[in-house]
């Protein structure tokens, strides 16, 4: 069974940085697409960053120039480096991956990690 394990959330002051990591619990898998979403209290979950199988990236306008998504195919991880954090970046961050295994493709979610940015 494939699970995604997130780490790296926490409390940081505005202007600071955090790095989130999302690791696949199994080996012998192929990450096709990796996404990071976030959800603030009372808001809908929004897509923050995407990285494709080929390494192309895309970002929400609100984080462009501040966040960087990356992947390590050898470690089966997708990370999100967050710089120049703002209070409006506060929320629960979820990783999401489309993964191929010997059993076939699937869509998987991490458990979420809290990011709180104080002003």
């Amino acid at each position: 069974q494939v699970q995604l394990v997130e780490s790296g959330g926490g409390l940081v002051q505005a202007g600071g940085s955090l790095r989130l990591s999302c690791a696949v619990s199994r080996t012998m898998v192929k990450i096709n697409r990796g996404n990071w979403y976030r959800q603030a209290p009372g808001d809908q979950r929004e897509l923050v960053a995407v990285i494709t199988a080929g390494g192309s990236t895309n970002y929400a306008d609100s984080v462009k120039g501040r966040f960087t998504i990356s992947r390590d195919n050898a470690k089966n991880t997708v990370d999100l480096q967050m710089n120049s954090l703002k209070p409006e970046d506060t929320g629960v961050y979820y990783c999401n991956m489309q993964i191929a295994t010997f059993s076939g493709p699937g869509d998987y979610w991490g458990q979420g990690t809290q990011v709180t940015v104080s002003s």
Side-chain angles (χ1 to χ4, degrees):
Q1 184 177 355
V2 176
Q3 292 183 324
L4 304 185
V5 180
E6 298 181 32
S7 60
L11 173 64
V12 65
Q13 288 188 332
S17 298
L18 283 174
R19 187 176 184 89
L20 306 183
S21 186
C22 183
V24 183
S25 63
R26 278 181 51 184
T27 58
M28 303 296 287
V29 300
K30 180 179 183 293
I31 301 171
N32 288 322
R33 177 175 162 132
N35 311 301
W36 282 96
Y37 287 78
R38 69 183 178 194
Q39 187 167 20
D43 289 348
Q44 290 186 334
R45 193 172 295 188
E46 65 168 333
L47 180 60
V48 172
V50 175
I51 187 163
T52 68
S56 298
T57 58
N58 203 2
Y59 300 91
D61 288 342
S62 58
V63 307
K64 278 181 183 175
R66 300 187 298 120
F67 289 13
T68 303
I69 189 170
S70 61
R71 60 190 291 162
D72 187 325
N73 293 330
K75 295 180 180 178
N76 285 329
T77 58
V78 174
D79 291 354
L80 185 68
Q81 176 67 42
M82 304 184 294
N83 299 327
S84 302
L85 282 161
K86 305 176 181 180
E88 51 264 43
D89 294 319
T90 294
V92 179
Y93 283 68
Y94 298 90
C95 69
N96 164 248
M97 298 188 193
Q98 284 82 60
I99 294 173
T101 71
F102 287 118
S103 301
D107 187 86
Y108 302 91
W109 288 86
Q111 78 279 12
T113 186
Q114 177 69 44
V115 171
T116 302
V117 184
S118 64
S119 56

